[in-house]
Amino acid sequence: MWKLTRPDNQHDKLTRDNLLDLEDHHLVRIESVQEDQRQVWVLTAKGHREAKQLLEPKGIRVSALRKQAYDPDNGELLGTSYDDHAAAVTSTAAELHCAGIGHRLGFQTEIGHRLADGYVQRADLVVRAPEAGVPVLLLEIDRRSEDAHDLVAKLRRYWEWGRLLPKDAHKRTVDLVRSRPGAIEDIDHEKRLWRRIYPPTGREGLVPLAFVFADTTKTKVDNTVKVLEEAGRRYWAPRRYETYYEEAITAKDYSQAVPVVFTTLEQLTEHGADAAVWRRLERKDEQTLTDALDNPDGDALYRRQYARAEAEDERRRAAEREARRPLCTRCGWKFTDERWEEISVHRTAVRAGDKSVCGPCHADDVAREEAAAEAARLEAAAPPELEDDPEPGRGRGWFRRRA
């Protein structure tokens, strides 16, 4: 706890003194002592009431009261496995805080996520650390007390929760989602329930999830991760982009996936949570938390590849069109776009004249035709000329048109 409350201190004396003082006032008590002599402290009923009065008005949720219960047969304290798990959760939060990932009031435990069927999936720990590049992160702490397939079920529930709509969603949106399976994927994340509770993640996909394994071996972790990768693929794995340029696009669509990273509490304790101790599912190397959550082969790469593919396609189509461009049979020059369109479009083709000649040649033809027509018009409008020698017997007023 001292790492969480006093990360700059070299030892836990100040925190221990504070706890002893709170114990004297009956606000906290020692729940149990771990094998490594760490003590698990919990609030008493009095301390729980005071904590609620202090924190809940500020929007900080207080976890449920841990009641002191004993086995009626042997008198042993019940729920000691809970204490081990709670200690692992607190230690994880402390390591994150020491690494600058999350303010001490930015951690919450046992946060419920209610599914459509009423089941509530509770996250062991939720951290909000936007200043560290992690706006929100759900954490599940596993001391190998759960089967790997149970973790897959948790992953599935977080995925299902991320696809829910809020109760006050627009009727048109609700009808669209109900119209066919998978229609929720057409609904922007801003209109989904999770965005009412958590801030934007700054990355593609749903709310990221981290598994922190404690008190286990590397072999067990590897086996668990293998099950998560295979059995949970539908929930964490990206998809191919459905686009016209599929062959040119190698980027992956993470928009409907839950980003899943994992590490061990031992690695966090030894190297720090800001070190390269996190690994994304189906990635080979360990990375820092932000690098593990990022998607270098995601949306940013897709936009670049799509722009290149679109530009290349445009160049190819332009080259193909240029190869089809007609040549003038008279001068040999290529048709301009305007002339090409003129002879191709039906409403203008009927007035395009000789379709085998280019625009300038066609303009020459038009000019010659107009000149000939003008000459004919002028000749038709000219007055008739009088004959100098009228025929005998006819008066001087007689005239005839010259041939």
Side-chain angles (χ1 to χ4, degrees):
M1 184 181 292
W2 65 274
K3 288 186 178 181
L4 182 61
T5 58
R6 298 283 183 176
D8 297 331
N9 290 9
Q10 298 298 318
H11 50 76
D12 63 351
K13 184 178 185 305
L14 182 59
T15 301
R16 187 170 62 251
D17 291 344
N18 288 335
L19 286 171
L20 292 173
D21 183 61
L22 292 172
E23 185 182 32
D24 291 340
H25 289 80
H26 307 290
L27 298 176
V28 298
R29 62 180 175 82
I30 298 177
E31 171 80 359
S32 64
V33 179
Q34 306 299 295
E35 293 181 358
D36 57 1
Q37 300 306 307
R38 287 183 301 166
Q39 296 174 330
V40 176
W41 293 76
V42 297
L43 293 170
T44 62
K46 178 182 177 182
H48 191 267
R49 288 193 299 270
E50 291 194 12
K52 290 181 67 174
Q53 295 175 0
L54 177 65
L55 298 177
E56 288 191 349
K58 299 179 180 180
I60 302 173
R61 177 181 173 274
V62 180
S63 59
L65 174 64
R66 175 66 175 160
K67 296 182 180 180
Q68 206 168 4
Y70 297 89
D71 190 301
D73 297 328
N74 55 29
E76 293 182 358
L77 183 67
L78 296 175
T80 54
S81 62
Y82 167 87
D83 297 337
D84 295 335
H85 183 265
V89 172
T90 303
S91 296
T92 300
E95 296 301 336
L96 290 169
H97 181 55
C98 286
I101 304 174
H103 185 268
R104 63 175 60 91
L105 295 181
F107 295 95
Q108 293 178 295
T109 59
E110 296 297 318
I111 300 300
H113 302 81
R114 186 175 298 277
L115 302 180
D117 60 2
Y119 185 90
V120 178
Q121 176 62 56
R122 297 191 179 278
D124 291 332
L125 183 65
V126 176
V127 58
R128 304 185 189 216
E131 68 285 347
V134 187
V136 59
L137 178 66
L138 311 180
L139 293 103
E140 288 289 337
I141 316 302
D142 179 33
R143 298 182 58 254
R144 292 305 299 127
S145 57
E146 296 180 276
D147 183 76
H149 290 280
D150 292 336
L151 301 185
V152 174
K154 286 187 176 183
L155 171 58
R156 172 181 57 79
R157 295 186 195 111
Y158 286 120
W159 178 78
E160 290 176 348
W161 182 77
R163 296 164 70 88
L164 294 179
L165 293 175
K167 290 184 178 180
D168 60 350
H170 195 280
K171 183 178 182 301
R172 182 177 179 182
T173 304
V174 176
D175 292 341
L176 173 62
V177 171
R178 291 175 177 174
S179 64
R180 57 182 172 81
I184 185 65
E185 296 179 2
D186 297 328
I187 305 301
D188 188 79
H189 287 279
E190 293 297 320
K191 297 182 180 180
R192 300 190 194 182
L193 173 63
W194 76 266
R195 275 294 289 110
R196 299 285 185 89
I197 300 173
Y198 296 123
T201 64
R203 301 172 176 89
E204 307 101 295
L206 304 175
V207 182
L209 173 65
F211 288 103
V212 179
F213 301 102
D215 303 327
T216 186
T217 64
K218 184 179 185 303
T219 300
K220 291 181 179 179
V221 172
D222 292 342
N223 292 338
T224 301
V225 169
K226 185 176 181 180
V227 174
L228 281 170
E229 290 179 341
E230 294 178 357
R233 180 170 297 276
R234 179 184 180 187
Y235 316 118
W236 65 262
R239 308 172 184 176
R240 287 187 61 85
Y241 276 100
E242 296 181 1
T243 173
Y244 177 75
Y245 307 112
E246 285 190 4
E247 294 183 359
I249 302 296
T250 61
K252 299 175 182 178
D253 182 7
Y254 290 87
S255 62
Q256 306 302 321
V258 177
V260 179
V261 299
F262 65 92
T263 187
T264 65
L265 182 55
E266 290 73 21
Q267 284 182 300
L268 295 179
T269 304
E270 181 179 356
H271 304 289
D274 55 346
V277 296
W278 303 86
R279 187 152 70 88
R280 185 80 169 258
L281 288 186
E282 216 169 51
R283 290 185 188 174
K284 296 181 179 180
D285 299 324
E286 293 176 333
Q287 302 172 288
T288 62
L289 180 56
T290 52
D291 287 344
L293 291 174
D294 287 341
N295 304 308
D297 58 345
D299 183 63
L301 177 62
Y302 170 74
R303 290 196 299 269
R304 295 194 300 270
Q305 290 182 334
Y306 189 92
R308 287 198 297 266
E310 190 175 39
E312 181 60 30
D313 185 57
E314 186 174 344
R315 286 193 294 269
R316 178 186 58 79
R317 285 185 282 121
E320 291 176 352
R321 186 173 187 274
E322 196 63 26
R324 297 194 306 270
R325 186 181 295 273
L327 295 176
C328 180
T329 57
R330 187 176 303 168
C331 68
W333 285 84
K334 290 184 177 181
F335 281 28
T336 62
D337 289 342
E338 293 79 4
R339 177 58 177 168
W340 194 359
E341 180 180 0
E342 184 181 22
I343 67 171
S344 302
V345 180
H346 176 72
R347 61 183 176 82
T348 57
V350 295
R351 301 187 301 274
D354 187 354
K355 297 183 179 60
S356 66
V357 298
C358 64
C361 293
H362 173 63
D364 293 341
D365 292 344
V366 171
R368 284 193 296 269
E369 292 173 0
E370 290 179 349
E374 179 66 15
R377 186 186 67 78
L378 292 175
E379 183 178 358
E385 296 184 6
L386 296 178
E387 296 238 358
D388 293 336
D389 291 325
E391 294 182 6
R394 296 182 182 270
R396 180 172 291 272
W398 178 88
F399 63 90
R400 65 179 179 182
R401 185 183 302 272
R402 296 182 62 182

